């Protein structure tokens, strides 16, 4: 036996690797034709809506493939700053400092909006429990620990609240959802402002934490007496009861598309399209609402990227808005879409 | 490898034996060399990779190590907004949940190992077959062995379940199941610090229960091997002096295999320390320092998994620092485990 097992083995390895490498090459050259892949990364909050946009857009333009990685707002901004993606997405608009780090310049495009709701789990308890500002700030600060606390009972005359311990459920991972609710709490409460403060991950004084909207929803569902915050679309899907919150005008408002639109209407977007709706005015405004932004470079180096991306965003701003309501997002007001379209024209 | 030292002259010596044994051809010699270099290279690369990972993590962690120092290990708040970082609750949670999980895992793992290694099942089944007149009949003769093998493989398959599945199972099955007994313990024995808070949902206990199941296959497999390796001489001697089966197991076999079993426990400990996903879903991710097994807690691995994606600036350094702390803890535990296993091997060699 002259040809040893080793020799044969090495022959097999060489053949396999040649076949494999050539397969890789063929795959690579096919993708390079006139097809284009747009890379995006960022917020998880609007991800279901964006993914819907991208899927629908891909049906109309099969040559455009969009990879959107829902890594979270912070990671979206980081990847965007490092030029790893063609566009980013974030629930917290970039700060001036963050924008300064991008040398091509940044254009922020509000792409959709959504509200954050407080979902709770009260065994055979009432639906639509009303929470005053004092009550929900107190709950998240750990000052109100029982569901039958006078601060909650006062706003719910005639409702029998159980003598159950409140378990606050928060997000364990950094997230835009946390940013939105903590900014709101900071705006309405000095105790919160000097305590936990606002940010993508906040040092909550009480409670347990779950990963992502699904983690929070699962914990709330599993824990009698729990209250947690998730985005509106997610709460609707899981059919957990949502608390009715007191707004700036002192009115109790249910979370839905209409009340969120009222909140958006209360704020006029400035020229840079960056607005923090931390505490909207108006009788019908739901208090915890935010825009979420697409991040684009002011100037794109690769000539073929921007025309396609522009078409894609335009699609999202027009036809894309019609998917919003069904997925639990707020369709943008016409005035905002006008401003967005103007902003898109600044980009080259 | 003595062949590597063979001089070229030895290779060219004339061969007189038939074509079955021939001197290696030059191609075979070359391949042999290449192969040896390759294995050396790949093995070296693995070592290099480990060191590289540690150095890279250390470099990113360095600013945080400089600015937080030892206070990082004793601090109790993790607040990225205020740039205050401390991992004491996470270290405590990591060790507490791992030790609790290990106690459960060892109890069950060891019981399984004894059951499988001491042929309880086979003896029982063989007696049954004898009574039915089936003994030694083809299929039935091997049946007990087969079923024992099946059990062993099934338990080892527990190690193949992804940890996120364990996490989900914990949230939807374990937590609701242990809530009523936990509530009872809290109301009746709440004066004992370990039952000092009520179980709201996620917490140390559900995390530990799931951890126990996750480390069980490691412990049971290694313990079984250690028990099987108890020399027959010792077994026979134990029964020879009139020990009952239980006396033999508890007083002779277990002590003989103890070092091996302990090594398995330490390896299970290493696995429990590094477990991430299931704990992130079950421990509650709250930076709480408490003796209560019902209290929510945090672990180092869960802290990293939760905070890293959104971290920026100083928090990244702090997270890397926490990663180094975790690395150090697991490294120490694994080194201890390896040393114990080596001792066990050496001790048994003398007995064979």
């Amino acid at each position: 036996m002259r040809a040893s097992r080793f020799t044969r083995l090495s022959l097999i390895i060489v053949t396999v690797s040649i076949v494999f490498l050539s397969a890789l090459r063929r795959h690579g050259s096919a993708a390079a034709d006139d097809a284009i892949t747009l890379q995006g990364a960022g917020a998880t909050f609007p991800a279901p809506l964006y993914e819907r946009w991208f899927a629908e857009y891909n049906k109309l333009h099969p040559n455009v493939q969009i990879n959107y990685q829902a890594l979270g707002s912070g990671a979206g901004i980081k990847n965007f700053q490092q030029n790893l993606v063609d566009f980013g997405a974030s629930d917290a608009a970039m700060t001036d400092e963050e924008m300064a780090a991008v040398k091509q310049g940044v254009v922020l495009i509000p792409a959709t909006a959504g509200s954050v709701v407080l979902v709770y789990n009260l065994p055979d308890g009432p639906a639509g429990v009303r929470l005053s500002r004092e009550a929900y700030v107190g709950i998240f600060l750990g000052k109100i620990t029982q569901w039958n606390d006078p601060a909650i009972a006062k706003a719910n005359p005639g409702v029998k609240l159980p003598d159950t311990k409140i378990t606050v459920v928060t997000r364990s991972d950094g997230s835009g959802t946390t940013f939105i609710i903590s900014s709101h709490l900071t705006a309405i409460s000095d105790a919160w402002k000097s305590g936990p403060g606002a940010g993508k991950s906040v040092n909550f004084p009480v409670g347990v934490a779950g990963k992502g909207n699904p983690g929070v929803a699962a914990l709330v569902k599993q824990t009698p007496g729990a209250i947690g915050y998730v985005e509106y679309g997610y709460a609707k899907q899981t059919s957990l009861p949502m608390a009715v919150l007191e707004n700036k005008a002192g009115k109790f408002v249910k979370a839905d598309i209409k009340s969120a639109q009222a909140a958006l209407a209360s704020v006029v977007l400035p020229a840079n399209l960056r607005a923090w709706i931390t505490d909207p005015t108006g009788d019908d405004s739901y208090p915890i609402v935010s825009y979420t932004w697409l991040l684009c470079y002011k100037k794109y180096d690769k000539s073929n990227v921007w025309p396609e991306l522009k078409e894609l965003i335009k699609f999202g701003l027009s036809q894309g808005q019609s998917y919003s309501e069904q997925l639990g997002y707020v369709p943008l007001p016409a005035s905002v879409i006008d401003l967005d379209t103007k902003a898109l024209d600044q980009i080259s | 490898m003595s062949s590597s030292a063979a001089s070229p002259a030895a290779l060219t010596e004339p061969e007189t034996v038939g074509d079955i044994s021939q001197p290696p051809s030059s191609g075979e010699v070359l391949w042999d060399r290449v192969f040896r270099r390759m294995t050396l290279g790949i093995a070296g690369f693995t070592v290099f990779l480990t060191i590289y990972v540690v150095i890279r993590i250390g470099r990113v962690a360095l600013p945080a190590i400089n600015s937080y120092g030892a206070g990082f290990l004793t601090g109790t708040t993790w607040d990225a907004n205020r740039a205050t970082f401390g991992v004491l609750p996470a270290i405590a949670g990591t060790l507490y949940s791992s030790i609790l999980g290990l106690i459960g895992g060892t109890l069950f793992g060891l019981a399984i190992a004894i059951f499988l290694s001491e042929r309880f099942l086979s003896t029982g089944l063989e007696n049954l077959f004898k009574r039915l007149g089936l003994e030694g009949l083809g299929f039935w003769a091997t049946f007990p062995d087969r079923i024992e093998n099946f059990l062993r493989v099934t338990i080892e398959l527990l190690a193949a379940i992804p940890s996120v599945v364990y996490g989900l199972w914990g949230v939807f099955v374990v937590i609701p199941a242990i809530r009523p007994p936990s509530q009872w313990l809290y109301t009746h024995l709440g004066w004992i610090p370990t039952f000092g808070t009520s179980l709201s949902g996620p917490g140390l206990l559900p995390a530990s229960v799931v951890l126990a199941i996750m480390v069980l296959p490691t412990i049971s497999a290694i313990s079984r091997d250690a028990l099987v390796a108890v020399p027959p001489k010792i077994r026979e001697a134990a029964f020879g002096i009139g020990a009952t089966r239980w006396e033999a197991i508890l007083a002779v076999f277990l002590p003989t295999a103890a070092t091996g079993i302990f090594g398995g426990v330490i390896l299970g400990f290493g696995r429990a320390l590094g477990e991430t996903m299931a704990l992130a879903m079950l421990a509650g991710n709250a930076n709480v320092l408490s003796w209560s097994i019902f209290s929510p807690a945090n672990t180092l691995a869960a802290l990293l998994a939760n905070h890293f994606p959104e971290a920026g600036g100083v928090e990244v350094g702090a997270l890397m620092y926490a990663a180094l702390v975790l690395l150090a803890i697991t490294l120490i535990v694994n080194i201890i485990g390896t040393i114990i296993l080596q001792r066990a091997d050496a001790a048994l060699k003398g007995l064979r």
Side-chain angles (χ1 to χ4, degrees), chain A residues 6 73-74 78 195 209 222-223, chain B residues 31 82 179 200 284-285 306 310-311:
Chain A
F6 285 133
S73 299
K78 235 187 291 173
Q222 291 296 314
T223 315
Chain B
W31 169 250
R82 309 250 183 291
R179 186 175 287 127
S200 50
N285 303 306
N306 278 321
E310 292 279 343

Side-chain angles (χ1 to χ4, degrees), chain A residues 240-255:
Chain A
L240 283 161
M242 305 175 215
V244 176
L245 303 184
E246 182 186 3
N247 66 11
K248 194 171 193 173
K251 298 280 192 305
F252 285 91
V253 183
K254 217 175 95 197

Side-chain angles (χ1 to χ4, degrees), chain B residues 8 21 69 71 73 93 96 115 120 137 144 162 170 172 190 208 226-227 248 255 275 277 282-283 296 319 326 341:
Chain B
S21 90
L73 302 176
Y96 202 177
F115 183 77
F120 279 97
L137 287 175
F172 291 106
S208 309
L227 282 168
E275 178 46 47
M277 201 53 213
L282 289 170
L319 284 169
L326 179 61
L341 272 182

Side-chain angles (χ1 to χ4, degrees), chain A residues 2 4 6 10 72-75 78 165 167 172-174 193-196 198-201 203 207-209 211 219 222-224, chain B residues 22 25 28 31 77-82 171-172 176 179 198 200-202 277 284-286 296 305-311 315:
Chain A
R2 301 282 330 171
S4 71
F6 285 133
S10 55
S73 299
K78 235 187 291 173
K165 202 184 128 216
T167 302
S172 60
D173 47 338
K193 194 175 180 181
S194 57
K200 284 173 208 138
S201 85
N203 188 24
V208 295
K211 195 161 163 51
L219 287 181
Q222 291 296 314
T223 315
Chain B
Q22 287 172 342
S25 69
E28 280 165 341
W31 169 250
T77 6
W78 187 280
D79 189 345
N81 285 341
R82 309 250 183 291
V171 170
F172 291 106
R179 186 175 287 127
S198 70
S200 50
M277 201 53 213
N285 303 306
N306 278 321
H307 287 269
F308 192 71
E310 292 279 343
E315 196 180 9

Side-chain angles (χ1 to χ4, degrees), chain B residues 151-175:
Chain B
L151 279 180
R152 194 170 51 83
V153 171
T154 312
I155 289 156
E156 275 163 23
L157 268 183
L158 279 178
I161 298 176
S163 83
V164 61
V165 176
Y166 274 116
L168 285 173
W169 181 73
V171 170
F172 291 106
V173 180
V174 175
I175 292 180

